Amino acid sequence: MNIKHQQKVAFGMIVLNGDYVLEECLNSVYDYASQILIAEGPVKYWQNKGLTTSTDNTNYILDNFPDPKNKIKIIHSQYDEKDSQCNAYMEHLNSDIDYVWNLDCDEIYKQNDLEKIDKLLFDEKYTSVGVQSKSFFGGFDHYLTGFEQNTDNFLRIFKSYPNCKWSTHRPPTIKPPAGTTTLPAKHLDSKTLFDNDGVEMYHYSYVFPKQVYKKMEYYWNIGGSGNRIPNYFFEVFYPWVIGNDTERAKIEVQYAGVHEYLPAGRGPCYSNKFDGNHPIYIEKSLDRLNKILEEELNYVRRKIHPSK
Protein backbone atom coordinates (compact mmCIF):
# COMPACT_ATOMS: atom_id res chain seq x y z
CA MET A 1 0.00 0.00 0.00
CA ASN A 2 1.31 3.46 -0.91
CA ILE A 3 0.18 5.92 1.74
CA LYS A 4 0.82 9.63 1.32
CA HIS A 5 1.24 11.22 4.73
CA GLN A 6 1.96 14.82 5.60
CA GLN A 7 4.32 14.32 8.52
CA LYS A 8 7.47 12.23 8.74
CA VAL A 9 7.04 9.95 11.73
CA ALA A 10 9.57 7.59 13.27
CA PHE A 11 8.07 4.81 15.37
CA GLY A 12 10.45 3.78 18.16
CA MET A 13 10.15 0.41 19.89
CA ILE A 14 12.02 -1.48 22.59
CA VAL A 15 11.43 -5.23 22.74
CA LEU A 16 12.54 -8.43 24.41
CA ASN A 17 10.55 -11.65 24.01
CA GLY A 18 7.61 -9.66 22.69
CA ASP A 19 6.40 -11.81 19.81
CA TYR A 20 2.73 -11.88 20.91
CA VAL A 21 1.33 -9.42 18.35
CA LEU A 22 4.63 -7.98 17.12
CA GLU A 23 4.00 -8.77 13.46
CA GLU A 24 0.52 -7.24 13.63
CA CYS A 25 1.98 -4.16 15.32
CA LEU A 26 4.55 -3.63 12.57
CA ASN A 27 1.96 -4.22 9.86
CA SER A 28 -0.37 -1.63 11.37
CA VAL A 29 2.18 1.21 11.22
CA TYR A 30 4.50 0.32 8.34
CA ASP A 31 2.76 2.30 5.60
CA TYR A 32 2.52 5.40 7.80
CA ALA A 33 6.10 5.33 9.05
CA SER A 34 9.07 7.13 7.62
CA GLN A 35 11.24 5.09 9.99
CA ILE A 36 10.72 2.20 12.38
CA LEU A 37 13.53 2.05 14.93
CA ILE A 38 13.76 -1.02 17.16
CA ALA A 39 16.11 -1.74 20.06
CA GLU A 40 15.97 -5.46 20.87
CA GLY A 41 17.58 -7.10 23.86
CA PRO A 42 17.55 -7.39 27.66
CA VAL A 43 17.92 -4.80 30.38
CA LYS A 44 19.99 -5.64 33.47
CA TYR A 45 17.29 -7.65 35.24
CA TRP A 46 16.98 -10.10 32.34
CA GLN A 47 20.73 -10.12 31.70
CA ASN A 48 21.15 -11.34 35.26
CA LYS A 49 18.75 -14.16 34.36
CA GLY A 50 21.12 -15.21 31.58
CA LEU A 51 19.43 -13.57 28.59
CA THR A 52 21.46 -11.87 25.85
CA THR A 53 18.65 -11.62 23.29
CA SER A 54 15.05 -12.74 22.76
CA THR A 55 14.42 -16.47 22.99
CA ASP A 56 10.92 -16.56 21.48
CA ASN A 57 10.00 -15.68 17.87
CA THR A 58 10.81 -11.97 18.23
CA ASN A 59 14.05 -12.06 16.26
CA TYR A 60 12.55 -14.30 13.58
CA ILE A 61 9.70 -11.82 13.08
CA LEU A 62 12.08 -8.85 12.98
CA ASP A 63 14.48 -10.56 10.58
CA ASN A 64 11.76 -11.69 8.20
CA PHE A 65 9.35 -8.77 8.25
CA PRO A 66 9.00 -7.34 4.70
CA ASP A 67 10.72 -3.96 4.42
CA PRO A 68 10.62 -2.92 0.75
CA LYS A 69 11.07 0.77 1.64
CA ASN A 70 14.06 0.17 3.96
CA LYS A 71 12.28 1.87 6.84
CA ILE A 72 13.31 -0.52 9.61
CA LYS A 73 16.49 -0.29 11.66
CA ILE A 74 17.08 -2.94 14.34
CA ILE A 75 19.69 -2.68 17.08
CA HIS A 76 20.52 -5.85 19.04
CA SER A 77 22.29 -5.21 22.32
CA GLN A 78 22.07 -5.30 26.11
CA TYR A 79 21.05 -2.23 28.11
CA ASP A 80 21.26 -0.80 31.64
CA GLU A 81 17.55 0.01 31.67
CA LYS A 82 14.75 1.09 29.37
CA ASP A 83 15.97 4.71 29.13
CA SER A 84 19.24 3.59 27.58
CA GLN A 85 17.41 1.05 25.40
CA CYS A 86 15.22 3.79 23.92
CA ASN A 87 18.19 6.02 23.24
CA ALA A 88 20.02 3.18 21.50
CA TYR A 89 17.65 3.50 18.56
CA MET A 90 17.51 7.30 18.70
CA GLU A 91 21.07 7.40 17.40
CA HIS A 92 19.62 6.31 14.04
CA LEU A 93 16.85 8.91 13.88
CA ASN A 94 16.84 10.79 10.58
CA SER A 95 17.33 14.54 10.91
CA ASP A 96 14.21 15.31 8.84
CA ILE A 97 11.80 13.38 11.10
CA ASP A 98 8.91 15.53 12.33
CA TYR A 99 7.65 13.31 15.16
CA VAL A 100 8.82 10.37 17.26
CA TRP A 101 6.11 7.90 18.23
CA ASN A 102 6.79 5.73 21.29
CA LEU A 103 5.38 2.34 20.23
CA ASP A 104 4.93 -0.75 22.39
CA CYS A 105 5.27 -4.08 20.61
CA ASP A 106 1.76 -5.04 21.75
CA GLU A 107 -0.19 -1.96 20.66
CA ILE A 108 -2.03 -1.74 17.34
CA TYR A 109 -3.70 1.15 15.53
CA LYS A 110 -6.57 1.28 13.08
CA GLN A 111 -5.54 2.68 9.74
CA ASN A 112 -8.05 5.53 9.68
CA ASP A 113 -6.95 6.61 13.17
CA LEU A 114 -3.37 6.97 11.93
CA GLU A 115 -4.65 9.14 9.10
CA LYS A 116 -6.56 11.34 11.56
CA ILE A 117 -3.46 11.80 13.72
CA ASP A 118 -1.33 12.61 10.69
CA LYS A 119 -3.75 15.39 9.70
CA LEU A 120 -3.96 16.75 13.27
CA LEU A 121 -0.18 16.92 13.58
CA PHE A 122 0.11 18.73 10.25
CA ASP A 123 -2.76 21.16 10.84
CA GLU A 124 -2.27 21.96 14.53
CA LYS A 125 1.51 21.55 15.00
CA TYR A 126 1.14 19.74 18.31
CA THR A 127 4.39 19.09 20.16
CA SER A 128 3.09 16.13 22.19
CA VAL A 129 0.10 13.80 22.08
CA GLY A 130 -1.44 11.36 24.55
CA VAL A 131 -3.45 8.41 23.24
CA GLN A 132 -6.21 6.61 25.14
CA SER A 133 -5.66 2.89 25.56
CA LYS A 134 -8.16 0.10 25.11
CA SER A 135 -6.05 -2.41 27.05
CA PHE A 136 -7.27 -5.95 26.47
CA PHE A 137 -7.40 -8.29 29.43
CA GLY A 138 -7.46 -12.08 29.60
CA GLY A 139 -8.16 -12.49 25.90
CA PHE A 140 -9.73 -10.42 23.15
CA ASP A 141 -13.24 -9.93 24.53
CA HIS A 142 -12.60 -7.70 27.57
CA TYR A 143 -10.63 -4.54 28.24
CA LEU A 144 -9.56 -2.50 31.26
CA THR A 145 -11.43 0.63 32.36
CA GLY A 146 -10.85 2.96 35.29
CA PHE A 147 -7.40 4.47 35.72
CA GLU A 148 -6.09 2.54 32.71
CA GLN A 149 -8.07 5.05 30.61
CA ASN A 150 -7.16 8.14 32.58
CA THR A 151 -6.22 11.22 30.59
CA ASP A 152 -2.65 10.93 29.28
CA ASN A 153 -2.01 7.63 30.99
CA PHE A 154 -0.14 6.85 27.77
CA LEU A 155 1.99 9.59 26.20
CA ARG A 156 2.95 8.55 22.71
CA ILE A 157 3.88 11.23 20.15
CA PHE A 158 6.52 13.95 20.46
CA LYS A 159 7.91 16.66 18.21
CA SER A 160 11.30 15.60 16.96
CA TYR A 161 14.41 17.72 16.58
CA PRO A 162 17.82 16.74 15.15
CA ASN A 163 19.90 14.80 17.70
CA CYS A 164 17.11 14.73 20.29
CA LYS A 165 17.07 11.99 22.93
CA TRP A 166 14.70 10.49 25.45
CA SER A 167 15.28 12.02 28.87
CA THR A 168 13.14 9.27 30.42
CA HIS A 169 11.00 6.33 29.37
CA ARG A 170 8.65 6.58 32.35
CA PRO A 171 6.90 8.79 31.40
CA PRO A 172 8.18 9.10 27.83
CA THR A 173 9.82 12.52 27.48
CA ILE A 174 11.85 13.88 24.55
CA LYS A 175 14.78 16.22 25.23
CA PRO A 176 16.11 18.37 22.36
CA PRO A 177 19.81 19.32 22.41
CA ALA A 178 20.72 22.49 24.30
CA GLY A 179 20.27 25.57 22.16
CA THR A 180 17.67 23.99 19.84
CA THR A 181 14.96 26.35 18.60
CA THR A 182 11.75 24.55 19.47
CA LEU A 183 8.08 25.08 18.72
CA PRO A 184 5.93 26.50 21.53
CA ALA A 185 4.60 23.64 23.65
CA LYS A 186 1.19 22.53 22.40
CA HIS A 187 -0.22 19.31 23.84
CA LEU A 188 -3.14 17.20 22.61
CA ASP A 189 -4.38 15.12 25.52
CA SER A 190 -5.76 11.62 25.11
CA LYS A 191 -9.30 12.45 26.26
CA THR A 192 -9.67 15.30 23.77
CA LEU A 193 -8.27 13.13 20.98
CA PHE A 194 -10.72 10.34 21.80
CA ASP A 195 -13.76 12.55 22.43
CA ASN A 196 -13.28 14.65 19.29
CA ASP A 197 -11.88 12.10 16.86
CA GLY A 198 -12.51 8.66 18.34
CA VAL A 199 -8.81 7.79 18.21
CA GLU A 200 -7.42 5.20 20.63
CA MET A 201 -4.80 2.50 20.63
CA TYR A 202 -5.68 -1.16 20.90
CA HIS A 203 -3.30 -2.42 23.54
CA TYR A 204 -2.91 -6.20 23.85
CA SER A 205 -0.91 -5.90 27.05
CA TYR A 206 -2.76 -8.24 29.44
CA VAL A 207 -3.86 -10.96 27.02
CA PHE A 208 -1.48 -13.92 27.19
CA PRO A 209 -0.53 -15.75 30.42
CA LYS A 210 3.20 -15.85 29.65
CA GLN A 211 3.14 -12.17 28.76
CA VAL A 212 1.45 -11.19 32.04
CA TYR A 213 3.57 -13.53 34.18
CA LYS A 214 6.84 -12.10 32.83
CA LYS A 215 5.57 -8.53 33.14
CA MET A 216 4.74 -9.10 36.81
CA GLU A 217 8.09 -10.76 37.48
CA TYR A 218 10.01 -7.85 35.99
CA TYR A 219 8.18 -5.01 37.70
CA TRP A 220 7.98 -6.80 41.05
CA ASN A 221 11.73 -7.38 41.12
CA ILE A 222 12.86 -3.93 40.03
CA GLY A 223 11.13 -2.24 42.94
CA GLY A 224 7.46 -2.34 42.08
CA SER A 225 6.34 -4.70 44.86
CA GLY A 226 5.07 -1.97 47.16
CA ASN A 227 2.18 -0.86 44.96
CA ARG A 228 1.20 -4.15 43.28
CA ILE A 229 -1.01 -7.05 44.29
CA PRO A 230 1.14 -9.89 45.72
CA ASN A 231 1.01 -13.07 43.62
CA TYR A 232 -1.14 -11.16 41.11
CA PHE A 233 -0.93 -13.79 38.39
CA PHE A 234 -2.44 -16.56 40.52
CA GLU A 235 -4.63 -14.37 42.73
CA VAL A 236 -6.23 -12.25 40.02
CA PHE A 237 -5.27 -12.80 36.38
CA TYR A 238 -5.32 -16.58 35.99
CA PRO A 239 -8.43 -17.32 38.13
CA TRP A 240 -10.29 -14.52 36.35
CA VAL A 241 -9.42 -15.88 32.90
CA ILE A 242 -10.52 -19.44 33.67
CA GLY A 243 -13.42 -18.44 35.94
CA ASN A 244 -17.15 -18.21 35.26
CA ASP A 245 -19.08 -14.95 35.55
CA THR A 246 -19.72 -15.41 39.28
CA GLU A 247 -16.07 -16.16 40.04
CA ARG A 248 -14.93 -13.22 37.96
CA ALA A 249 -17.31 -10.85 39.71
CA LYS A 250 -16.02 -12.01 43.10
CA ILE A 251 -12.44 -11.23 42.09
CA GLU A 252 -13.37 -7.79 40.80
CA VAL A 253 -15.25 -6.92 43.97
CA GLN A 254 -12.28 -7.99 46.11
CA TYR A 255 -9.72 -5.99 44.13
CA ALA A 256 -11.88 -3.15 42.76
CA GLY A 257 -11.17 -4.57 39.33
CA VAL A 258 -8.48 -6.76 37.84
CA HIS A 259 -5.40 -4.58 37.44
CA GLU A 260 -2.03 -5.46 38.96
CA TYR A 261 -1.88 -2.23 40.98
CA LEU A 262 -3.34 -2.14 44.47
CA PRO A 263 -6.65 -0.25 44.23
CA ALA A 264 -5.75 1.92 47.23
CA GLY A 265 -3.03 3.53 45.15
CA ARG A 266 -4.64 4.18 41.78
CA GLY A 267 -8.31 3.47 42.23
CA PRO A 268 -10.62 0.98 40.52
CA CYS A 269 -9.92 -0.72 37.22
CA TYR A 270 -12.77 -3.05 36.31
CA SER A 271 -13.05 -5.09 33.14
CA ASN A 272 -15.62 -4.31 30.49
CA LYS A 273 -16.98 -6.35 27.61
CA PHE A 274 -15.59 -5.36 24.21
CA ASP A 275 -18.30 -4.99 21.58
CA GLY A 276 -16.33 -3.29 18.80
CA ASN A 277 -14.01 -4.42 16.05
CA HIS A 278 -10.33 -5.08 16.47
CA PRO A 279 -7.85 -3.48 14.04
CA ILE A 280 -7.75 -5.36 10.74
CA TYR A 281 -4.41 -7.06 11.38
CA ILE A 282 -5.68 -8.47 14.68
CA GLU A 283 -8.95 -9.60 13.08
CA LYS A 284 -6.94 -11.51 10.47
CA SER A 285 -4.90 -13.23 13.19
CA LEU A 286 -7.58 -13.92 15.81
CA ASP A 287 -7.82 -17.66 15.20
CA ARG A 288 -4.07 -18.07 15.56
CA LEU A 289 -3.83 -15.76 18.57
CA ASN A 290 -6.71 -17.47 20.39
CA LYS A 291 -5.01 -20.80 19.79
CA ILE A 292 -1.81 -19.48 21.41
CA LEU A 293 -3.85 -18.15 24.33
CA GLU A 294 -5.46 -21.55 24.88
CA GLU A 295 -2.12 -23.37 24.60
CA GLU A 296 -0.61 -21.12 27.26
CA LEU A 297 -3.60 -21.60 29.57
CA ASN A 298 -3.34 -25.36 29.13
CA TYR A 299 0.35 -25.18 30.03
CA VAL A 300 -0.49 -23.39 33.28
CA ARG A 301 -3.20 -25.95 34.05
CA ARG A 302 -0.90 -28.93 33.42
CA LYS A 303 2.46 -27.74 34.68
CA ILE A 304 2.00 -24.94 37.18
CA HIS A 305 -1.49 -25.02 38.66
CA PRO A 306 -2.90 -28.50 38.03
CA SER A 307 -5.56 -28.18 40.72
CA LYS A 308 -7.30 -25.67 38.46
Side-chain angles (χ1 to χ4, degrees), residues 73-280:
K73 175 66 178 179
I74 304 166
I75 299 94
H76 298 281
S77 189
Q78 292 85 50
Y79 314 94
D80 289 335
E81 245 300 336
K82 292 188 176 182
D83 290 356
S84 60
Q85 189 168 4
C86 288
N87 280 319
Y89 69 65
M90 289 293 280
E91 295 178 9
H92 303 275
L93 184 72
N94 290 341
S95 61
D96 63 347
I97 290 294
D98 296 304
Y99 289 92
V100 177
W101 191 316
N102 176 47
L103 181 71
D104 281 354
C105 64
D106 53 14
E107 69 184 62
I108 318 289
Y109 291 86
K110 289 186 173 180
Q111 308 304 285
N112 62 335
D113 286 347
L114 291 169
E115 293 174 358
K116 290 176 184 177
I117 289 177
D118 177 50
K119 187 175 188 305
L120 285 167
L121 293 176
F122 181 79
D123 290 345
E124 301 296 333
K125 302 297 185 291
Y126 291 110
T127 57
S128 58
V129 181
V131 181
Q132 180 168 295
S133 176
K134 187 165 254 92
S135 300
F136 287 89
F137 180 85
F140 299 89
D141 298 326
H142 292 83
Y143 65 95
L144 299 173
T145 63
F147 69 78
E148 186 77 0
Q149 295 188 316
N150 281 354
T151 301
D152 286 345
N153 200 35
F154 295 90
L155 298 172
R156 281 297 179 260
I157 306 168
F158 300 87
K159 183 72 181 75
S160 178
Y161 300 93
N163 301 312
C164 62
K165 300 288 185 182
W166 293 104
S167 59
T168 176
H169 178 69
R170 302 188 191 102
T173 310
I174 283 284
K175 181 180 180 181
T180 301
T181 301
T182 62
L183 293 177
K186 185 178 183 181
H187 180 65
L188 174 59
D189 70 76
S190 60
K191 186 177 189 309
T192 300
L193 177 61
F194 181 75
D195 289 347
N196 291 348
D197 298 280
V199 173
E200 59 186 337
M201 65 172 169
Y202 293 74
H203 207 177
Y204 300 89
S205 50
Y206 290 85
V207 172
F208 302 97
K210 182 175 71 173
Q211 173 193 36
V212 174
Y213 188 89
K214 290 297 185 182
K215 186 198 301 277
M216 296 308 104
E217 177 185 352
Y218 171 68
Y219 284 113
W220 187 270
N221 283 284
I222 65 164
S225 59
N227 58 358
R228 286 175 167 83
I229 296 170
N231 201 24
Y232 168 82
F233 183 88
F234 289 112
E235 292 295 326
V236 180
F237 179 82
Y238 178 65
W240 187 96
V241 174
I242 66 171
N244 57 37
D245 288 345
T246 300
E247 291 167 332
R248 289 179 172 184
K250 184 178 179 180
I251 291 169
E252 299 212 25
V253 168
Q254 180 178 355
Y255 293 102
V258 290
H259 207 283
E260 73 201 72
Y261 282 101
L262 291 164
R266 292 198 174 186
C269 183
Y270 294 95
S271 71
N272 195 25
K273 183 74 174 176
F274 178 62
D275 59 3
N277 297 314
H278 293 276
I280 185 63

Side-chain angles (χ1 to χ4, degrees), residues 32-64:
Y32 297 85
S34 293
Q35 284 186 286
I36 300 176
L37 306 174
I38 302 169
E40 184 280 329
V43 295
K44 282 290 186 183
Y45 175 77
W46 295 114
Q47 292 171 45
N48 292 337
K49 294 283 185 177
L51 291 181
T52 59
T53 189
S54 296
T55 55
D56 62 359
N57 289 320
T58 293
N59 286 326
Y60 178 85
I61 293 169
L62 295 179
D63 290 343
N64 291 278

